[in-house]
């Protein structure tokens, strides 16, 4: 799908600078900018304030790659993409509800996560992760993802069901 070039987008740390001061000390301890992957979100909705988010469609696109160059072992690239595919995944189902994983009382946990690899790729080169959530209801959310190379080749697909609820909330 069409997306801005990753180099044209702010880093996670640059994005967070705008809203970190609004977070409580407890919320700040839950956000860690140190990550083995460089990630850059597309679209203006991704610049939303994490401390007071607005409800929006359950979809996002994230460019990702490892912070360092890797060996040529294809298995290593698959392992690391499987790890990275969990980032920003189930939390996509929270977007229509106007909450984030930083919202007090919100509990998010993966119930299952599956991944299919279609073509060879390098996770140390930019990959576009396109995520959407068709449903979130009854304390569960379903998300789907597709991973594309910078040239547009689909290299992997993902799906996840997760627990998403506010602790102490009545059914």
């Amino acid at each position: 799908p069409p997306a801005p070039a990753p180099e044209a987008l702010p880093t996670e740390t640059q994005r967070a600078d705008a809203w970190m001061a609004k977070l409580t000390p407890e919320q700040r301890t839950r956000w860690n900018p140190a990550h083995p992957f460089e990630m850059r979100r597309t679209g203006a909705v991704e610049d939303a304030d994490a401390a007071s988010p607005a409800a929006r469609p359950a979809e996002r696109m994230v460019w990702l790659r490892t912070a360092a160059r890797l060996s040529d072992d294809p298995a290593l690239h698959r392992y690391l993409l499987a790890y990275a595919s969990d980032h920003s995944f189930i939390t996509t189902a929270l977007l229509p509800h106007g909450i984030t994983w930083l919202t007090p009382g919100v509990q998010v946990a993966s119930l299952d996560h599956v991944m299919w690899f279609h073509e060879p790729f390098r996770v140390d080169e930019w990959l576009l992760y396109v995520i959407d959530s068709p449903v979130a209801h009854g304390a569960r959310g379903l998300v789907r993802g597709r991973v594309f190379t910078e040239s547009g080749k689909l290299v992997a697909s993902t799906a996840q069901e997760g627990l998403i609820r506010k602790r102490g909330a009545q059914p």
Side-chain angles (χ1 to χ4, degrees):
E7 294 81 7
L9 299 168
T11 66
E12 291 283 288
T13 302
Q14 290 168 330
R15 285 183 53 254
D17 286 347
W19 49 260
M20 281 295 282
K22 298 177 185 176
L23 298 181
T24 67
E26 190 270 332
Q27 287 173 318
R28 279 195 293 275
T29 63
R30 293 176 67 191
W31 190 81
N32 180 3
H35 203 274
F37 283 82
E38 183 177 357
M39 302 207 175
R40 299 188 181 204
R41 300 170 191 268
T42 69
V45 296
E46 291 298 342
D47 292 330
D49 186 343
S52 56
R56 56 191 183 272
E59 53 194 32
R60 61 170 42 128
M61 293 193 294
V62 181
W63 285 104
L64 63 90
R65 69 177 176 187
T66 57
R69 189 77 178 161
L70 302 173
S71 73
D72 293 333
D73 179 7
L76 176 63
H77 291 265
R78 289 190 303 268
Y79 302 152
L80 290 174
L81 181 58
Y83 168 80
S85 71
D86 198 41
H87 184 76
S88 297
F89 203 28
I90 195 62
T91 55
T92 302
L94 299 174
L95 297 177
H97 304 283
I99 58 175
T100 72
W101 58 275
L102 288 170
T103 302
V106 168
Q107 181 180 17
V108 180
S110 176
L111 299 175
D112 57 46
H113 186 127
V114 65
M115 188 162 208
W116 297 269
F117 298 104
H118 311 304
E119 299 274 346
F121 61 89
R122 293 192 64 92
V123 76
D124 55 3
E125 295 176 357
W126 286 116
L127 297 169
L128 180 63
Y129 194 19
V130 179
I131 307 166
D132 76 284
S133 175
V135 66
H137 177 75
R140 291 182 182 220
L142 173 68
V143 288
R144 307 174 292 198
R146 297 173 294 150
V147 181
F148 298 88
T149 63
E150 205 166 0
S151 66
K153 184 191 319 180
L154 177 66
V155 296
S157 298
T158 58
Q160 183 177 49
E161 182 184 31
L163 170 77
I164 55 170
R165 67 180 177 188
K166 235 179 158 174
R167 284 184 236 131
Q170 296 299 316

